[in-house]
Amino acid sequence: MVISQTMCMRIGFSSVLLANSSPQQMGMASISFSFSSSLLPSPLPHGKTNNTKHGTQVPNIKVVNCSLTTKTNSSSSVIAPKKRIWKEGEYPGISETSIPGYRSKRTPIKNVKKKLDRKAKAKAWVNTVAETLSDHVLKKQWIQALEVFGMLKEQPFYQPKEGTYMKLLVLLGKCGQPRHAHQLFDEMMEEGIEPTPELYTALLAAYCRNNLIDEAFATLKQMKTLPNCQPDVFTYSTLIKACVDALRFELVESLYEDMNERSITPNTVTQNIVLSGYGKAGMYDQMERVLLGMLESTTCKPDVWTMNNILSVFANKGQVDMMERWYEKFRNFGVEPETRTFNILIGAYGKRRMYDKMSSVMEYMRKLQFPWTSSTYNNVIEAFADMGDAKHMEYTFEQMRAERMKPDTKTFCCLINGYANAGLFHKVISSVRLAAKLEIPENTLLYNAVISACVKADDLMEMERVYKRMKEKHCQPDSRTFSIMMEAYAKEGMNDKVYDLEQEKLQILADGPKSY
């Protein structure tokens, strides 16, 4: 009988032998075979071989480590096994265990393999969960991140780590979920993790990002009572930024006094925040006063971030002449521009439809080997989107993807706005689908762009459906959301709808940011 290589690999040589043995041979219970990593079959020959019997070709299969053992009597004498004639397809092998009287001290390989498999699966599961958690954090998917973290906490091998809580606190703050951040902070304390200034600052930042200034000051007060959690310059800078964004400059002065009493010196980041706030509020005298103080200081000299902040102030106000004048001033101060600096200039020129200057800056970037970034392309796409120039907008977007630049939320907001301005509402839908395919975070900015497109299409029913989905996705509406919808309802004379939205807006402002 000819035994093929495939059959030997599938059913094992022991089965082959039993199938081809006579009853007398099957009764020889003393014969056994060991197959621990024993089968190394060689390729089957394609031509004729010399191993033939009665005209039948025998495959030349090589077997290693197949062993033949025999039982021994209780006496010290060794009984030699009976000589047998091997049939076709049956090949004897010799291994350590085939020697009479040999006794292995090793753990059976089968058991070791099971243990190794169990350890490998457990380790792989942990790594998979950790990678999944990091992936959700990176994509700002806070709901999925908390679900995976909850699964991780239920496992017996779970050990609470400060770094994991830090990532989640920052994520929740960025996603507009300060209540969840506070709850997570309390759970962290219950698990026995000692709070640090960094963890408290992350919680404080979550409040500041969502304009909960009272809660942020309460956190600062609590930090002052804990010897190992004293606030530092980063804590104060975070809180100062929240006050500046809320135009609460009187609180900024009180925080400066508090820092002075604690011998905490403001750094360049702190001064840049205040300087930018004064500029956004149109308080140019105070802005120049802070800038002059930085020029005279030996510890917080103006840097490229200072330059970018001031240029952004005038760029957002459309004051291109002032922007260019301050650009020259900073160059005279010895501050060198960077990629973000040029992106600010490109965005300002694009909004004013000064395409010649916009192109000149982009060519200048290439000449100096400054890379075009996603922000560079976003500014160009936004310039064409505001005009409703879908053709050039699409060309820029395709070029962006061809250079493997990853589009972000602003990219799709500009695309949706551009298609809506051009009246191409079917392309608005395709852009939303593409954003979902690329796993772009569904945040307030993206929903506002879609709601605005629905209004431009005079489709209030679709607008309401998008708004409902926005709340189902735990995405917090902002003043821009309500402004767009209320204006649309007012245009149609739907005053009852306007009133309902006003009440909902007041309720949200009273409750603060929350998850629906």
Side-chain angles (χ1 to χ4, degrees):
M1 178 181 179
V2 181
I3 305 300
S4 69
Q5 181 185 15
T6 305
M7 184 180 297
C8 292
M9 293 177 66
R10 287 183 178 176
I11 65 177
F13 279 79
S14 58
S15 301
V16 175
L17 288 175
L18 290 175
N20 292 280
S21 300
S22 62
Q24 292 79 8
Q25 291 169 337
M26 292 180 65
M28 297 175 63
S30 62
I31 300 176
S32 64
F33 281 80
S34 171
F35 295 99
S36 56
S37 64
S38 61
L39 302 183
L40 295 174
S42 62
L44 292 175
H46 296 284
K48 293 183 178 180
T49 64
N50 296 327
N51 300 327
T52 59
K53 185 175 181 180
H54 303 295
T56 305
Q57 295 182 0
V58 181
N60 185 19
I61 303 175
K62 183 180 179 181
V63 181
V64 180
N65 208 23
C66 286
S67 62
L68 178 65
T69 62
T70 59
K71 289 185 179 180
T72 60
N73 294 333
S74 58
S75 63
S76 58
S77 61
V78 177
I79 301 176
K82 293 182 180 180
K83 185 177 180 180
R84 62 170 294 179
I85 299 175
W86 296 91
K87 293 185 178 182
E88 296 175 5
E90 298 178 352
Y91 296 88
I94 299 176
S95 67
E96 291 178 336
T97 56
S98 65
I99 302 173
Y102 176 82
R103 186 174 182 181
S104 174
K105 296 182 180 179
R106 297 179 181 178
T107 307
I109 292 180
K110 185 177 180 181
N111 295 339
V112 173
K113 188 176 183 301
K114 285 184 178 179
K115 292 180 180 179
L116 292 175
D117 287 344
R118 283 197 297 267
K119 290 182 179 179
K121 288 179 181 179
K123 186 176 181 181
W125 194 90
V126 175
N127 291 337
T128 302
V129 173
E131 290 172 1
T132 304
L133 180 60
S134 298
D135 187 54
H136 288 316
V137 171
L138 185 63
K139 294 176 181 178
K140 298 181 181 179
Q141 300 172 338
W142 67 272
I143 298 178
Q144 294 88 333
L146 290 182
E147 289 176 352
V148 173
F149 184 58
M151 293 170 55
L152 186 62
K153 290 172 65 176
E154 294 175 356
Q155 303 307 313
F157 51 78
Y158 167 74
Q159 292 292 334
K161 295 181 180 180
E162 177 185 330
T164 307
Y165 278 100
M166 175 66 76
K167 291 179 181 179
L168 291 173
L169 287 172
V170 173
L171 171 67
L172 293 171
K174 290 181 178 180
C175 294
Q177 303 298 324
R179 307 300 181 190
H180 280 287
H182 179 78
Q183 181 180 354
L184 186 70
F185 192 86
D186 290 341
E187 292 176 2
M188 179 194 72
M189 299 279 285
E190 292 175 358
E191 289 190 353
I193 294 181
E194 291 294 330
T196 62
E198 292 78 16
L199 289 169
Y200 265 109
T201 301
L203 177 62
L204 183 143
Y207 290 135
C208 290
R209 284 179 177 273
N210 296 278
N211 200 31
L212 298 176
I213 297 180
D214 293 338
E215 286 82 349
F217 270 95
T219 304
L220 177 66
K221 184 178 179 180
Q222 186 177 5
M223 291 179 69
K224 293 178 182 179
T225 63
L226 301 174
N228 297 328
C229 297
Q230 292 298 299
D232 54 17
V233 65
F234 301 104
T235 309
Y236 279 101
S237 297
T238 303
L239 190 50
I240 285 174
K241 186 179 187 306
C243 296
V244 165
D245 291 341
L247 303 179
R248 301 284 299 274
F249 293 104
E250 73 282 359
L251 295 178
V252 173
E253 295 300 327
S254 67
L255 288 172
Y256 268 126
E257 293 175 1
D258 196 6
M259 292 174 69
N260 187 40
E261 292 176 359
R262 292 176 167 270
S263 300
I264 299 176
T265 305
N267 57 20
T268 303
V269 174
T270 313
Q271 299 295 67
N272 285 343
I273 291 170
V274 177
L275 185 144
S276 176
Y278 283 137
K280 291 177 181 178
M283 304 167 67
Y284 300 127
D285 293 338
Q286 291 86 336
M287 184 182 73
E288 291 193 24
R289 177 175 58 83
V290 174
L291 182 58
L292 290 174
M294 294 178 70
L295 291 170
E296 296 172 357
S297 173
T298 57
T299 57
C300 53
K301 289 285 186 181
D303 57 8
V304 68
W305 289 93
T306 314
M307 180 184 189
N308 291 342
N309 284 334
I310 291 184
L311 294 183
S312 295
V313 167
F314 294 112
N316 292 332
K317 292 181 178 294
Q319 300 178 14
V320 175
D321 294 338
M322 288 290 291
M323 179 189 71
E324 293 175 340
R325 193 175 300 126
W326 276 98
Y327 176 80
E328 294 300 329
K329 283 185 179 181
F330 276 102
R331 294 300 303 272
N332 294 332
F333 293 155
V335 179
E336 295 294 330
E338 61 170 8
T339 302
R340 185 170 179 267
T341 312
F342 293 120
N343 286 339
I344 294 170
L345 298 177
I346 291 170
Y349 291 138
K351 289 179 180 178
R352 292 294 300 272
R353 302 184 181 181
M354 302 169 71
Y355 300 122
D356 292 339
K357 288 191 173 184
M358 183 176 73
S359 299
S360 298
V361 174
M362 297 180 72
E363 292 175 2
Y364 187 64
M365 290 178 68
R366 291 289 198 195
K367 182 180 179 180
L368 297 182
Q369 296 183 344
F370 280 94
W372 290 1
T373 63
S374 297
S375 297
T376 309
Y377 282 104
N378 286 346
N379 288 330
V380 179
I381 291 173
E382 186 177 19
F384 293 127
D386 291 340
M387 292 180 59
D389 188 348
K391 179 179 178 181
H392 288 92
M393 180 184 71
E394 287 179 341
Y395 176 79
T396 307
F397 179 64
E398 292 302 326
Q399 185 179 356
M400 177 184 186
R401 299 193 69 187
E403 293 195 11
R404 299 188 180 278
M405 291 291 172
K406 185 178 180 181
D408 53 19
T409 302
K410 183 178 179 181
T411 310
F412 282 94
C413 287
C414 294
L415 290 173
I416 292 169
N417 181 50
Y419 287 132
N421 290 338
L424 302 174
F425 299 106
H426 64 285
K427 291 197 173 184
V428 171
I429 299 174
S430 63
S431 296
V432 173
R433 290 173 178 170
L434 180 59
K437 182 179 179 181
L438 297 178
E439 297 183 336
I440 302 298
E442 296 183 5
N443 57 19
T444 304
L445 292 176
L446 187 63
Y447 275 107
N448 284 350
V450 179
I451 289 174
S452 178
C454 294
V455 173
K456 292 175 183 177
D458 295 325
D459 192 345
L460 298 188
M461 290 184 63
E462 184 63 26
M463 179 193 74
E464 291 175 349
R465 281 195 289 267
V466 173
Y467 181 61
K468 181 180 179 181
R469 176 177 173 80
M470 180 181 184
K471 293 190 289 186
E472 290 174 350
K473 288 291 183 177
H474 307 277
C475 193
Q476 180 75 42
D478 60 5
S479 58
R480 171 70 176 157
T481 313
F482 290 109
S483 176
I484 296 171
M485 298 181 67
M486 290 167 66
E487 184 178 346
Y489 285 135
K491 183 179 177 181
E492 298 295 328
M494 304 172 70
N495 296 326
D496 55 335
K497 296 278 189 178
V498 175
Y499 177 79
D500 292 339
L501 284 178
E502 287 178 345
Q503 297 302 311
E504 186 175 353
K505 180 180 178 181
L506 293 174
Q507 185 65 37
I508 289 177
L509 292 175
D511 296 342
K514 64 180 181 178
S515 58
Y516 282 87

